[in-house]
Amino acid sequence: MTDHPGGDDSPVTSESGDGTEPDARYTFANERTFLAWSRTSLALVVGGLAIAQLLPPFPGIPWGRHLIGTPLILLGCAVSVISYLEWKASQRALRHGQPLPRSRLPQILAIAIAVIGLIAAALALLSAVGVP
Amino acid sequence: MSPPAGKAPAGREPADDMEYADPGLARERTELAWTRTAVSFAALGAAILKYRPLIGLPVLVLSAVVWRLGRLPVPARAGRTRDRRPLLITMTTVGVSLVALALSFLGPGIGPLR
């Protein structure tokens, strides 16, 4: 199969030791999904760094910025690693003609962002009422 | 056999109608995705550059590398299934994350050029 999908009618099944070569369009789609998650992880890292470095300190809670920024950076790191593992698993499934594995990333991201949001809200309230 | 242009493979729904009408679009869209990723690296590099030029500059250079990776000619790749570029992107992102983590604790304004 050529790199250009549908560019010729050569067999999709260029056999190798690890399954068969999938349709290039699915491979490209898998690659784009991985890249989209990579951008998400970079955005999380930038957000975490901006909060830790640029946000004015919470009154009475000097470590407050790190409580929000550090988990965001770590989450970005985790999203990057998990997205790679999922890209690899999807690629393997495509090669073997199996159903694509279910992605856990949306769930992980939603829960983590919700928890960090709650922490940020709690910090804002605590600093507003002047609790040390 | 690969499906002819304009027709989805047997047993599979078309992922994108336009891609089946014009299969070359898949590659173009993927190259654009690589470009967006490179821009994301550049944005991170620029953000760090403001406070830590010595660290921000290499990250900016990385964005150019990422852009180039997305445009590698097919024969130069080791085969799509043994594609090492996603691993490279992941390792780079993890490295940049660790640098960002260190920077977040050092705080702005302590950079060697400031």
Side-chain angles (χ1 to χ4, degrees):
Chain A
M1 175 152 189
T2 59
D3 177 66
H4 187 89
D8 64 7
D9 285 334
S10 59
V12 180
T13 54
S14 57
E15 280 286 352
S16 73
D18 182 26
T20 56
E21 189 68 28
D23 188 314
R25 280 167 286 210
Y26 294 110
T27 306
F28 277 130
N30 191 24
E31 194 172 314
R32 287 197 298 271
T33 305
F34 164 76
L35 290 171
W37 280 115
S38 293
R39 291 193 296 275
T40 304
S41 69
L42 283 172
L44 288 167
V45 172
V46 171
L49 189 62
I51 286 171
Q53 284 207 339
L54 305 179
L55 205 70
F58 289 99
I61 313 171
W63 39 266
R65 293 180 300 173
H66 291 293
L67 200 60
I68 305 171
T70 304
L72 279 177
I73 295 172
L74 292 176
L75 178 63
C77 194
V79 166
S80 176
V81 173
I82 296 170
S83 67
Y84 171 71
L85 295 176
E86 291 196 347
W87 169 82
K88 210 171 171 184
S90 296
Q91 201 62 24
R92 195 180 303 120
L94 283 171
R95 289 192 69 83
H96 292 282
Q98 295 166 345
L100 291 177
R102 195 175 162 209
S103 175
R104 293 157 297 168
L105 273 172
Q107 201 176 5
I108 293 170
L109 196 68
I111 292 170
I113 295 287
V115 169
I116 293 169
L118 287 174
I119 292 171
L123 282 173
L125 285 173
L126 285 175
S127 64
V129 297
V131 175
Chain B
M1 297 289 283
S2 64
K7 196 173 179 184
R12 288 177 172 174
E13 289 299 316
D16 186 297
D17 289 338
M18 285 302 291
E19 279 186 11
Y20 283 93
D22 184 357
L25 287 177
R27 182 175 191 172
E28 192 175 330
R29 290 173 71 181
T30 308
E31 283 190 359
L32 287 170
W34 277 94
T35 303
R36 289 194 294 274
T37 308
V39 170
S40 297
F41 269 101
L44 177 60
I48 298 175
L49 191 71
K50 187 174 180 184
Y51 297 103
R52 305 274 177 165
L54 285 184
I55 299 172
L57 209 59
V59 179
L60 267 180
V61 172
L62 270 178
S63 69
V65 175
V66 170
W67 181 82
R68 188 73 192 95
L69 277 177
R71 274 161 182 73
L72 277 183
V74 176
R77 295 180 187 172
R80 292 211 169 278
T81 51
R82 292 174 188 83
D83 200 346
R84 293 283 179 264
R85 295 174 309 155
L87 180 62
L88 208 61
I89 293 290
T90 304
M91 287 167 65
T92 306
T93 308
V94 168
V96 167
S97 305
L98 295 177
V99 168
L101 195 62
L103 285 179
S104 73
F105 281 100
L106 291 175
I110 317 173
L113 294 185
R114 282 185 62 94

